[in-house]
Amino acid sequence: MTTGAPTSPYTTRPRRSRLRRYLPLGIAAWLVLEIWLLTLVAGAAGGLTVFLLLVAGFVAGSVVIKRAGRRAFQSLNEALQQGGSPERGGGNGLMMLGGLLLMIPGMVSDVAGLLLLLPPVQKAVSRFAENALEKRLRTATPGSLGDAFQQARMHRPDGKVVQGEVIREDRPEPGGQYPPLTR
């Protein structure tokens, strides 16, 4: 359908975010680095050694993931039996990520996976992720997904989330402010 308005052949596309622009380049560089390191180790120690290292990383990663999943399920079960809510599973999630990185073939991913199994590194990564999420939620625009998360985090003083909406039947005062809610 045409509107009769002239259209420019040089329409502007929306800008891509930095993540969407540089993530494919970062993944390609990571893969090249992994292959290069594997060939260096194979040249120094032999192909059988590299193969055994890759198999050992896969086995260790699967053991770590299984153990972290079992621990997360056990803490969820205990919390539900006690009638409380489960505690945050950041440690188990980072442990599973470390196991996954161990399972991925390569030396850099193995080192990153082993680092994520260390409790001080887990605390630092979890603190960084929490701060980044808080920052994103503070700058959320109305109607965005971040705004929905911010609204879902509204709690009562005892920490329980209150679902629903407030309907006020009283009228605002002359300054536009509502009187405080009473129970």
Side-chain angles (χ1 to χ4, degrees):
M1 179 169 118
T2 59
T3 60
T7 58
S8 170
Y10 306 106
T11 57
T12 58
R13 292 186 300 173
R15 286 187 50 146
R16 294 175 67 174
S17 69
R18 285 184 184 171
L19 180 66
R20 286 187 61 197
R21 180 179 298 157
Y22 295 118
L23 184 65
L25 180 63
I27 290 173
W30 171 63
L31 289 174
V32 168
L33 178 65
E34 290 282 18
I35 293 169
W36 178 70
L37 282 174
L38 285 175
T39 57
L40 278 180
V41 172
L48 181 63
T49 306
V50 170
F51 177 73
L52 291 176
L53 281 173
L54 293 176
V55 169
F58 186 82
V59 169
S62 61
V63 168
V64 167
I65 287 177
K66 184 177 180 180
R67 186 173 172 206
R70 187 177 296 148
R71 187 181 303 163
F73 186 72
Q74 184 179 9
S75 69
L76 175 67
N77 249 352
E78 288 172 0
L80 291 177
Q81 286 175 355
Q82 295 173 358
S85 63
E87 37 181 88
R88 298 172 118 177
N92 290 328
L94 289 174
M95 233 177 177
M96 286 183 178
L97 179 61
L100 180 67
L101 286 172
L102 280 172
M103 290 177 74
I104 295 174
M107 300 295 169
V108 176
S109 61
D110 286 350
V111 170
L114 287 173
L115 283 175
L116 274 178
L117 297 180
L118 301 173
V121 175
Q122 286 180 355
K123 287 180 184 175
V125 169
S126 129
R127 197 175 320 120
F128 174 77
E130 237 176 74
N131 290 340
L133 182 64
E134 285 289 328
K135 183 179 175 186
R136 282 292 273 227
L137 290 177
R138 275 195 305 266
T139 61
T141 57
S144 69
L145 186 60
D147 182 47
F149 280 124
Q150 186 68 29
Q151 289 178 4
R153 295 180 60 214
M154 294 179 189
H155 292 77
R156 288 186 5 203
D158 59 356
K160 295 182 180 174
V161 176
V162 178
Q163 297 293 332
E165 72 183 66
V166 175
I167 299 175
R168 301 203 57 160
E169 296 189 16
D170 52 351
R171 301 282 178 228
E173 295 175 352
Q177 297 289 327
Y178 281 95
L181 290 174
T182 57
R183 291 184 186 195

